[in-house]
Amino acid sequence: MSFAEYEVKDMIAVITMNRPSALNALNSEVLDDLNAVIDAVDLKTIRCLIITGAGEKSFVAGADIGEMSALTKEEGIAFSKKGNDLFRKIETLPIPVIAAVNGYALGGGCELSMACDFRIASENAVFGQPETGLGITPGFGGTQRLARLIGAGAAKQMIYTARNIKADEAMRIGLVNSVVPADQLMAAAEKIAGQIAKNAPIAVANAKAAINEGIQKPMEEAESIEEHRFGSCFETHDQKEGMSAFLEKRKDKNFINQ
Ligand code: CAA
């Protein structure tokens, strides 16, 4: 049994965080299992990845408080780096990653969802960065990604107050893209993944990289990133196929990820 179950459905893969006895909290073993599963994703055939949590109650309820409780300063830095390195790996995967948030996304769980390209949530989802109430700061990217996603003011309020927010408020502040009834969450995520999987994978990967890299840069540099990503698409089979299909008024396109 793995703490990160992996399932492939056609060109879409689903990772289910699977430690329901602790609401899928992230201890070192869970992080190692997630890392191994991410490394094993076949990037040639999988066109979109969905991350969700086992059970009906929780996506991921944070980093494991029991494991963290006895850490020294040096061990705290190392634990933060372990999570940060893994979440950065997820963020920079050359395929889109959707977080299907099916309940609590607290601390490291909120941070895992933010390392994904976007989040869709069930009506019972709860987001929060409760760390300051535990005497620590967010350590798996929360101080950085939350501020980039919802703005520094809203991120500071969430982190300083350690107040959890429900799905509708997460939607209002732009933390999630949509909220659906719990029993429709996976179908909704798979529908979006299916729409992504129909498009040219190299173009999608280039768009992801251009957005992720460009958003941190001044506009001139960001535009240069876009120009190179755009230009490199013209070396691909799939650009020729996509444009020929349009010009020939063909509906079916044969994108081969080359
Ligand atoms: N770490 C370890 N165990 C956890 C956990 C966590 N983050 N969250 C839940 N669990 C465990 C509980 O200890 C409990 O285990 P036992 O049955 O063995 O007692 C089990 O999961 C079920 O949890 P509850 O009984 O507490 O369930 P509840 O429905 O009453 O409450 C909850 C749910 C509000 C999510 C509550 O469990 C909770 O507040 N959890 C902690 C959330 C949190 O603070 N997360 C942030 C961690 S810090 C962090 O993530 C740092 C970072 O950035 C890297």
Side-chain angles (χ1 to χ4, degrees):
M1 198 204 78
S2 167
F3 288 121
E5 297 283 344
Y6 186 66
E7 191 190 351
V8 174
K9 298 178 181 171
D10 200 9
M11 291 183 290
I12 297 161
V14 179
I15 292 176
T16 304
M17 302 311 298
N18 183 33
R19 193 189 170 207
S21 62
L23 302 181
N24 307 321
L26 304 169
N27 62 18
S28 295
E29 245 185 297
V30 177
L31 291 172
D32 287 342
D33 282 2
L34 179 57
N35 190 48
V37 157
I38 294 289
D39 283 345
V41 174
D42 180 358
L43 297 169
K44 289 235 176 310
T45 59
I46 299 302
R47 295 194 179 172
C48 189
L49 183 61
I50 299 169
I51 301 182
T52 193
E56 287 166 6
K57 199 169 158 182
S58 183
F59 174 70
V60 168
D64 190 294
I65 298 169
E67 179 174 341
M68 284 186 296
S69 61
L71 296 184
T72 62
K73 175 184 170 185
E74 282 66 32
E75 288 165 344
I77 293 171
F79 190 60
S80 176
K81 181 161 170 44
K82 187 179 175 87
N84 271 342
D85 288 351
L86 171 57
F87 288 8
R88 184 77 182 136
K89 187 187 278 190
I90 292 170
E91 185 170 50
T92 56
L93 274 181
I95 56 172
V97 187
I98 302 172
V101 180
N102 58 312
Y104 291 114
L106 301 178
C110 187
E111 292 166 313
L112 173 59
S113 80
M114 292 191 292
C116 300
D117 288 274
F118 52 88
R119 291 139 292 287
I120 65 168
S122 59
E123 285 168 348
N124 67 325
V126 176
F127 293 82
Q129 298 287 165
E131 287 89 346
T132 58
L134 294 163
I136 57 173
T137 65
F140 291 171
T143 58
Q144 304 309 309
R145 291 196 181 91
L146 191 61
R148 284 166 168 78
L149 268 170
I150 65 171
K156 285 175 174 174
Q157 185 175 341
M158 264 182 79
I159 291 170
Y160 301 169
T161 62
R163 189 177 71 84
N164 293 342
I165 59 170
K166 293 185 177 159
D168 55 348
E169 190 174 348
M171 176 82 192
R172 187 177 59 72
I173 63 175
L175 188 53
V176 304
N177 285 14
S178 54
V179 180
V180 298
D183 61 355
Q184 291 167 31
L185 180 67
M186 286 315 287
E190 284 169 17
K191 185 174 173 197
I192 299 169
Q195 290 165 341
I196 292 170
K198 281 199 188 118
N199 293 325
I202 295 171
V204 172
N206 275 341
K208 172 170 178 169
I211 294 168
N212 280 359
E213 290 164 24
I215 210 159
Q216 325 283 356
K217 301 269 192 314
M219 191 52 98
E220 284 76 14
E221 255 181 86
E223 283 177 334
S224 166
I225 291 169
E226 181 181 78
E227 288 150 19
H228 285 89
R229 291 283 174 179
F230 175 78
S232 71
C233 292
F234 290 85
E235 290 183 329
T236 65
H237 163 278
D238 288 350
Q239 172 269 326
K240 289 169 186 53
E241 170 63 9
M243 293 195 177
S244 308
F246 175 82
L247 295 172
E248 293 161 13
K249 303 195 187 302
R250 232 186 329 117
K251 278 223 169 73
D252 286 339
K253 288 174 254 183
N254 183 27
F255 289 134
I256 59 171
N257 201 6
Q258 282 174 28

